[in-house]
Amino acid sequence: MEQIAVVGAGTMGNGIAHVLAQNGYKVNLVDLHAEQLQKGMQTIARNLERQVAKGSLTDEAKKSTLQNITALQDLNSGVKLADLVIEAATENVSVKLDIFRQLDEVTGPDAILATNTSSISITKIAAATKRPGAVIGMHFMNPVPVMKLVEIINGYGTLPETTNTIVELTKKLGKIPCIVNDYPGFIANRILMPMINEAIYSLYESVAGVEEIDTVMRLGMAHPMGPLQLADFIGLDVCLSILQVLHNGFGNPKYAPCPLLVNMVAAGKMGIKTGEGFYTYTPGSKELVVSEQFRK
Ligand code: CAA
């Protein structure tokens, strides 16, 4: 695999480009929005610098990683020579279907088309192309440079050779592949989101406060972050949309999103990205401050 394109320069896209480039792959990072592209490149440079400061990366390796990435706004020129495209655009079905229709037209016939979707059906995305056998889920975890797992999702028609290529690539990136089948939420979010939803229900029903709920899960279950802090980190809008996929996909009321989550998203309190969720966030500060709303 020589040339890889990553579509979308947001949190996940820039993390994926970072890890690929650090492992020697030539990457085209494509985003239609100049500002997002610039922000993505700045984030990669900042995260590489953090690795240099910690001594886990040399300055030389940082430079060559950055040289391996070409930032592009034009989708066609960004993907046309790629052996693999990893789509990490907005988590929206119609956006993804549009992108895959275009990718199918523009890329070479042997290119593999992967999506980093956290919950949209791979089978549905594959059906927007004429190559369902070469469409696969490659679900990285946030923060991509740190988290070891890649959930690899086989759609209904994904061919074994496609899966094998993606498994081998995952290993070359120093990550651990887990192969799963295409059902709502796959494995990661089918298990994670009900836990987060239950934590929000516990707050909504006043079983305990934000800090107590997160402390129980951090200290009692050795989770690096409590579920409410993790929800803020993922984005409350993303959590809500994944829960809706689970709820609609299984038709089981156990996945119904907590009304408090629905209200917070409607109020624009989406976690770190908006500066407020269960906690409030001040740029440059690592201190966790419970949002006014939830203070006793
Ligand atoms: N890029 C590169 N390195 C990074 C980084 C980034 N974006 N973020 C953190 N790091 C590195 C740090 O440099 C540090 O490295 P060393 O171990 O070499 O010192 C290490 O990661 C730990 O970072 P910090 O000391 O700053 O902070 P921390 O110890 O609190 O860890 C964390 C931060 C890694 C995010 C940790 O809190 C954690 O693991 N949280 C849970 C993350 C999680 O569950 N992710 C999955 C979310 S779900 C998902 O992604 C899927 C979905 O579909 C919703």
Side-chain angles (χ1 to χ4, degrees):
M1 187 148 315
E2 307 254 307
Q3 175 73 54
I4 302 180
V6 177
V7 176
T11 310
M12 298 306 288
N14 75 58
I16 296 167
H18 171 146
V19 168
L20 290 165
Q22 195 184 324
N23 285 279
Y25 292 96
K26 296 277 177 216
V27 185
N28 282 347
L29 179 60
V30 185
D31 200 299
L32 304 179
H33 308 286
E35 200 187 319
Q36 179 86 328
L37 201 51
Q38 198 189 8
K39 249 175 88 183
M41 291 303 289
Q42 283 165 355
T43 303
I44 295 171
R46 203 173 49 242
N47 284 331
L48 287 168
E49 191 46 51
R50 186 210 296 244
Q51 291 167 267
V52 173
K54 295 253 170 167
S56 60
L57 195 75
T58 63
D59 211 33
E60 210 39 51
K62 175 191 157 185
K63 280 191 197 121
S64 67
T65 300
L66 286 171
Q67 277 163 5
N68 280 343
I69 306 176
T70 306
L72 289 150
Q73 271 182 267
D74 180 52
L75 183 74
N76 288 9
S77 48
V79 304
K80 72 169 184 265
L81 297 177
D83 306 303
L84 164 68
V85 181
I86 305 175
E87 173 277 325
T90 314
E91 194 67 355
N92 172 297
V93 181
S94 61
V95 170
K96 289 208 194 281
L97 295 183
D98 268 356
I99 291 175
F100 273 78
R101 267 182 221 112
Q102 279 190 63
L103 293 177
D104 194 34
E105 275 174 26
V106 180
T107 54
D110 297 329
I112 291 179
L113 307 181
T115 170
N116 179 61
T117 182
S118 49
S119 62
I120 296 170
S121 161
I122 308 304
T123 306
K124 186 169 188 168
I125 293 173
T129 74
K130 293 184 198 72
R131 61 179 96 184
V135 176
I136 191 162
M138 194 176 187
H139 184 206
F140 290 81
M141 303 290 131
N142 186 19
V144 181
V146 179
M147 305 299 282
K148 285 281 178 207
L149 175 75
V150 179
E151 191 178 30
I152 294 175
I153 306 108
N154 282 330
Y156 194 83
T158 307
L159 291 170
E161 52 262 41
T162 304
T163 312
N164 292 342
T165 305
I166 297 303
V167 164
E168 286 316 307
L169 171 66
T170 302
K171 290 182 185 163
K172 284 189 187 141
L173 300 178
K175 304 216 178 273
I176 311 294
C178 264
I179 302 173
V180 312
N181 290 321
D182 183 25
Y183 289 100
F186 318 133
I187 285 295
N189 282 315
R190 181 173 182 161
I191 296 175
L192 176 64
M193 287 304 155
M195 181 190 72
I196 286 177
N197 202 33
E198 206 56 38
I200 303 173
Y201 263 114
S202 303
L203 179 67
Y204 174 66
E205 293 169 359
S206 302
V207 179
V210 170
E211 276 167 318
E212 287 77 10
I213 293 167
D214 274 356
T215 303
V216 165
M217 298 306 285
R218 260 191 313 106
L219 302 187
M221 282 75 191
H223 290 192
M225 289 174 167
L228 300 174
Q229 187 190 356
L230 183 56
D232 277 358
F233 179 71
I234 292 167
L236 300 192
D237 54 334
V238 176
C239 294
L240 176 60
S241 108
I242 298 172
L243 279 162
Q244 285 163 339
V245 167
L246 290 168
H247 193 206
N248 294 337
F250 292 115
N252 187 329
K254 77 177 177 181
Y255 298 109
C258 176
L260 173 59
L261 174 65
V262 176
N263 265 358
M264 289 175 76
V265 172
K269 311 288 183 197
M270 308 209 192
I272 294 178
K273 68 174 124 180
T274 60
E276 191 181 338
F278 297 103
Y279 299 89
T280 53
Y281 301 89
T282 315
S285 164
K286 276 193 138 187
E287 203 194 344
L288 262 186
V289 180
V290 174
S291 294
E292 180 80 52
Q293 188 88 7
F294 303 114
R295 280 183 223 153
K296 290 165 205 147

